[in-house]
C-alpha cells in the first residue's frame, strides 16, 4: 500500500493548535487521571489559575499533575488569563515538583500556553526569575518528569515545563521560540506576515521530531474536541504509563544524568 | 581641548570631526563624546556618568588582569540551519560591524590573580540574541569551569532568544540551565552581571540563575520587552520600570554596581568565596 505523504502547512497547524474547540488542560485532567485533588498556591503571593496543580492516579500510579489551562468558555478563558501564567504559576509548579521529588512521585506536565504573561506585576514579581528557577530545578529533579504539549508551546512560558525525561507532542501542537505574530512584528513591523513567518520558524511536531527534540508524536482525530479525545487519551496514557515504569526503576542519580545528557545533546550547532 | 567634547551648540562640525575620530552621542545627556575617550574611560560619559554600550573585548580588558585572557571557541560562528530569510545576510552584516563572530565572547582569565571562567555578551552583535552558538559557547565554558573547579562570571546583554534559529534557540535555555546546575552542584560560584539590556530567554535562564546577581545602573532588565507589555496592559508603564533600580527595589537582584567599581567588586566576591577549612588563617 502506498502511503500518501501530505506536507502540512505550518500556519494551518498554528490555527489548529489554537482552535477554540480543541481540548484544554482541564479536559486532560478529567479524561486521563483518577482521584484528582487540586493543590493551590505558591505559598508566596497567590494562586495562579492559568496553571492547575494537583495529585491524581494514572492507571493506579500516584502522580503530580501540572497543567497549563487556557479555559473553554469565554468567561473561563478570561478568568484563567487565557492560559498565560504569572510568576505565581511557575512558583506553584516549582513547589509541586519539589514536593513530588520528596515522595519520589512522577510529574506529568501538560503544556498549552501562548506564553508567560507580559504584564507589570508579572515583571515586578520576577517572571524571568520564576521560569529560570523552574529550568534550574528541573535540571536535577530526582523524580521522573514527562511532558506533553497539547496545543501551544509558547516560548519560555512553555519551555519551563518541558525540561523532563520524555517529551510528547500532539500532532497539531506547536513549540516555538516566539509567536509567528510577534516574530512578524519584530522583523517586518507587520503582524499580517505571521502566516509566512510560521513556515520559517519550524514549529510543528514534525519539525521538532526532525531536530530530535521530542520523543514522540501522537495522532489526532480529524475533528479534535473534548468529545472525540478518548482514543487519543488512551494512546497518550499508555505511552506515559510505560515510560513511568521504565523511568521509576532507574537510580535517581542515573535518571538525572540521563535527563541532563538528553538535553545537552540537543546542541543544534 | 575641553571644548571639542562639548555639545552641538558650540559650532563644531561633528560630521567632519567624525571622519577623523568616531564620535558617540550620549543617550542620557545628548552630548558628543569621542569614542576613544569614552573607551579609555570605562565607556562612561565624561559629562554625565552615563554608561555607554561596552564592547565585549573592552570589558574583558577592564575586568581581567592584563594579558590574562585566553579566549575559548573563538572561531565558532552561526550558520542558517533553518533557511530563515535574510539570516545569513544579517549575520555577515553584524560580523562586519562588530568585528565579532558571535554575540558572546568566552574564555579564561584572572581577576587580581584569581582564575575565573568568564563570558561577556555583546549587544552590538544582533542585539546579543542567543542562538545555538551563544548557547553552546556558554555551555562549553560552564562545563570547563565545572571540570576545572573555576568560578564563573557571565556578563549578560541580550534581547533574548534568536528568532532566526527558532526552537533551537529556545533549547539553549534548557542546556545552559543544566550546565549551570552541574556547576552549582559542585559547590562552585556563579556570578551573573546584568547589563543593558537583558531580556527574554536570557533573563528567563542563566541571567537569573547566579548565586549572586549584580547589575549595572539603569540597565533594562526584564522577561517581556516594554513595548510588548505596554500593548498587552494598554497603559503607560511606571517611571523607571524594568530598570536595575526598579528590580533591586522589588528584591530581584543582589546589588547595583557602578562600572568603575565592577572589577573591585568581583575581586572582593571571589575572595569571599575562598573556602575556609577551619585551619589557621
Ligand atoms: Zn552623557
Amino acid at each position: 500500500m502506498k502511503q500518501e505523504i501530505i506536507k502540512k502547512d505550518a500556519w494551518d497547524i498554528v490555527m489548529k493548535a489554537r482552535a477554540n474547540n480543541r481540548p484544554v488542560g482541564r479536559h486532560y485532567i478529567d479524561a486521563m487521571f483518577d482521584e484528582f485533588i487540586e493543590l493551590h498556591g505558591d505559598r508566596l503571593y497567590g494562586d495562579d489559575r492559568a496553571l492547575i496543580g494537583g495529585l491524581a492516579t494514572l492507571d493506579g500510579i500516584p502522580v503530580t499533575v501540572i497543567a497549563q489551562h487556557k479555559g473553554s468558555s469565554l468567561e473561563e478563558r478570561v478568568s484563567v488569563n487565557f492560559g498565560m501564567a504569572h510568576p505565581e504559576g511557575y512558583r506553584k509548579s516549582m513547589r509541586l515538583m519539589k514536593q513530588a521529588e520528596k515522595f519520589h512521585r512522577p510529574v506529568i506536565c501538560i503544556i498549552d500556553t501562548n506564553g508567560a504573561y507580559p504584564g507589570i506585576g508579572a515583571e515586578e514579581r520576577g517572571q524571568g526569575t520564576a521560569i529560570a528557577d523552574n529550568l534550574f530545578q528541573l535540571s536535577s529533579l530526582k523524580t521522573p518528569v514527562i511532558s506533553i504539549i497539547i496545543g501551544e508551546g509558547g516560548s519560555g512560558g512553555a519551555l519551563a515545563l518541558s525540561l523532563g525525561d520524555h517529551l510528547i507532542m500532539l500532532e497539531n501542537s506547536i513549540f516555538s521560540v516566539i509567536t509567528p505574530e510577534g516574530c512578524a512584528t519584530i522583523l517586518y513591523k507587520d503582524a499580517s506576515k505571521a502566516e509566512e513567518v510560521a513556515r520559517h520558524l519550524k514549529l510543528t511536531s514534525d519539525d521538532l521530531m526532525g531536530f530530535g527534540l521530542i520523543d514522540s508524536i501522537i495522532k489526532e482525530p480529524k475533528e479534535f474536541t473534548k468529545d472525540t479525545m478518548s482514543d487519543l487519551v488512551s494512546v497518550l496514557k499508555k505511552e506515559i504509563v510505560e515510560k513511568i515504569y521504565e523511568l521509576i526503576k532507574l537510580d535517581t542519580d542515573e535518571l538525572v544524568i540521563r535527563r541532563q545528557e538528553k538535553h545537552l545533546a540537543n546542541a543544534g550547532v | 581641548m575641553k571644548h571639542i567634547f562639548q555639545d552641538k551648540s558650540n559650532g563644531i562640525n561633528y560630521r567632519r570631526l567624525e571622519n577623523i575620530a568616531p564620535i558617540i552621542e550620549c543617550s542620557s545627556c545628548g552630548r558628543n563624546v569621542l569614542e576613544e575617550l569614552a573607551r579609555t574611560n570605562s565607556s562612561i560619559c565624561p559629562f554625565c556618568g552615563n554608561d555607554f554600550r561596552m564592547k565585549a573585548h573592552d570589558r574583558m580588558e577592564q575586568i581581567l588582569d592584563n594579558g590574562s585572557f585566553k579566549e575559548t571557541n573563538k572561531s565558532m560562528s552561526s550558520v542558517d540551519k533553518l533557511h530563515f530569510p535574510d539570516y545569513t545576510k544579517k549575520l555577515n552584516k553584524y560580523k562586519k560591524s562588530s568585528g565579532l563572530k558571535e554575540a558572546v565572547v568566552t574564555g579564561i582569565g584572572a581577576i587580581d590573580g584569581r582564575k575565573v571562567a568568564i563570558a561577556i555578551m555583546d549587544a552590538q552583535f544582533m542585539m546579543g540574541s542567543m542562538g545555538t552558538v551563544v548557547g553552546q559557547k556558554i555551555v562549553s565554558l560552564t562545563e570547563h569551569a565545572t571540570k576545572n573547579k573555576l568560578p564563573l562570571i557571565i556578563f549578560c546583554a541580550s534581547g533574548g532568544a534568536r528568532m532566526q534559529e527558532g526552537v533551537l534557540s529556545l533549547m539553549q535555555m534548557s542546556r545552559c540551565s543544566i550546565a549551570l546546575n552541574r556547576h552549582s552542584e559542585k559547590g562552585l560560584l556563579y556570578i551573573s552581571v546584568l547589563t543593558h539590556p537583558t531580556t527574554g530567554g536570557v533573563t528567563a535562564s542563566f541571567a537569573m540563575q547566579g548565586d549572586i546577581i549584580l547589575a549595572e545602573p539603569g540597565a533594562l532588565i526584564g522577561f517581556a520587552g516594554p513595548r510588548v507589555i505596554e500593548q498587552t496592559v494598554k497603559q503607560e508603564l511606571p517611571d523607571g520600570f524594568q530598570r536595575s533600580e526598579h528590580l533591586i527595589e522589588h528584591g530581584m537582584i543582589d546589588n547595583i554596581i557602578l562600572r568603575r567599581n565592577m572589577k573591585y567588586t568581583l575581586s572582593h566576591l571571589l575572595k569571599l568565596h575562598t573556602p575556609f577549612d577551619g585551619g589557621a588563617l
Side-chain angles (χ1 to χ4, degrees), chain A residues 162-174:
Chain A
S162 77
L163 203 171
D165 304 298
H166 192 75
L167 181 58
I168 304 168
M169 276 179 88
L170 300 193
E171 182 186 355
N172 295 309
S173 67
I174 58 172

Side-chain angles (χ1 to χ4, degrees), chain A residues 91 116-120 123-129 131-133 135-137 139-140 142 153 155-157 159 162-163 175-178 182-183 186-188 196-197 200-202 208 211 213 256-257 259-261 263-269, chain B residues 76 81-86 90 132-133 136 139 143 161-164 166-175 177-182 184-185 203-206 208-209 221-224 228-229 232-233 235-238 241-242 246 250 252:
Chain A
R91 292 191 173 120
Y117 186 66
I120 294 172
E123 290 291 321
E124 289 180 339
R125 301 194 297 277
Q127 188 71 285
T129 307
I131 294 172
D133 286 350
L135 292 172
F136 197 78
Q137 188 179 290
S139 296
S140 61
K142 292 179 177 65
S155 84
L159 186 80
S162 77
L163 203 171
F175 197 8
S176 183
V177 66
I178 185 169
C183 187
I186 294 169
L187 287 182
Y188 308 111
E196 186 191 323
V197 167
H200 296 300
L201 281 170
K202 303 282 187 288
L208 271 282
F211 293 133
L213 295 174
V256 167
I257 288 170
R259 180 187 312 145
Q260 292 177 340
E261 294 298 332
H263 290 270
L264 285 173
N266 297 332
V269 182
Chain B
M76 204 181 264
K81 263 159 292 197
L82 267 49
H83 307 293
F84 202 98
D86 299 328
K90 268 182 198 159
T132 51
V133 167
Q136 180 53 31
V139 166
E143 286 178 336
R162 188 173 296 169
M163 301 176 296
Q164 289 87 349
V167 74
L168 298 173
S169 299
L170 192 67
M171 295 308 146
Q172 304 310 316
M173 294 166 64
S174 299
R175 299 182 70 244
S177 301
I178 291 168
L180 286 166
N181 186 295
R182 287 180 161 186
S184 181
E185 297 269 316
T203 300
S205 60
F206 59 84
M208 291 303 184
Q209 291 167 342
I221 302 160
F223 175 62
V228 175
I229 298 171
T232 308
V233 302
Q235 70 180 85
E236 227 177 280
L237 302 175
F241 180 66
Q242 293 186 309
H246 186 82
H250 286 273
M252 292 299 150

Side-chain angles (χ1 to χ4, degrees), chain A residues 30 78 88 97 102 109 131-132 169 207 213 238 247 257:
Chain A
D30 293 344
V78 172
E88 295 74 55
M97 284 172 189
K102 175 178 173 183
C109 296
I131 294 172
M169 276 179 88
D207 292 326
L213 295 174
K238 186 167 171 278
L247 294 167
I257 288 170

Side-chain angles (χ1 to χ4, degrees), chain B residues 25-31 33 44-52:
Chain B
E25 190 185 302
C26 176
S27 63
S28 176
C29 70
R31 296 195 219 201
V33 182
I44 296 165
C45 174
F47 302 110
C48 71
N50 177 41
D51 288 340
F52 294 130

